[in-house]
Amino acid sequence: MKKILILNGPNLNLLGVREKGIYGDQSFESYLEELKAKFPGLDLSYFQSNSEGAIIDKLHEIGFSFDGVVLNAGAYTHTSVAIADAIAAITTPVIEVHISNVHQRETFRHHSYLSKNCKGIIVGFGLDGYRLALASF
């Protein structure tokens, strides 16, 4: 059974209540239950943090033993060289996911420091991006 971590960054703990026009009205916890039902052959773990250091620590912790990471680093995508370096340092493949189409938003969101170190990128398909990422593993 493949071990996959879904790792969400800052403000994603507020899915379902924040900016519903952009992020929808479903909490990630309820969506995670749907994912577990759709992928019974995967050992899915979930971690969310608003702290850059905690995200890096989690990548280091599982980065040599898991089969994949689905990472939505939120705004850290556009600012964190440290998370990019953590992805480059581990052997577990990482797929970058964004709920919204970041290229239709503010200009600063058009650049990702993480992308060059990721296996792939899924952008703009809402929460379904997580399903697409899991299917790729």
Side-chain angles (χ1 to χ4, degrees):
M1 182 178 289
K2 287 188 175 184
K3 292 176 69 170
I4 308 293
L5 172 67
I6 298 174
L7 178 54
N8 276 342
N11 301 309
L12 292 166
N13 57 306
L14 297 178
L15 287 175
V17 295
R18 73 177 272 231
E19 299 174 281
K20 292 180 182 183
I22 296 172
Y23 300 106
D25 59 3
Q26 186 174 15
S27 73
F28 193 81
E29 288 74 12
S30 68
Y31 185 64
L32 181 60
E33 294 308 311
E34 292 177 28
L35 290 174
K36 287 179 179 180
K38 286 180 185 176
F39 294 96
L42 295 178
D43 180 4
L44 291 179
S45 300
Y46 175 60
F47 182 79
Q48 187 279 327
S49 180
N50 295 315
S51 169
E52 183 179 29
I55 293 167
I56 293 166
D57 288 343
K58 183 56 80 171
L59 287 168
H60 290 178
E61 175 188 327
I62 61 89
F64 300 93
S65 59
F66 275 51
D67 298 297
V69 175
V70 177
L71 172 63
N72 184 340
Y76 287 138
T77 301
H78 320 292
T79 63
S80 182
V81 173
I83 293 174
D85 287 348
I87 294 167
I90 63 175
T91 58
T92 298
V94 176
I95 296 178
E96 180 181 342
V97 170
H98 298 283
I99 296 167
S100 68
N101 183 343
V102 294
H103 301 288
Q104 292 178 335
R105 299 184 64 194
E106 304 93 339
T107 304
F108 75 88
R109 295 185 195 275
H110 298 182
H111 176 74
S112 167
Y113 283 98
L114 315 181
S115 296
K116 74 179 190 79
N117 298 329
C118 292
K119 175 182 175 184
I121 307 158
I122 300 171
V123 175
F125 288 95
L127 290 176
D128 201 39
Y130 293 90
R131 181 191 61 79
L132 295 168
L134 291 174
S136 77
F137 287 118

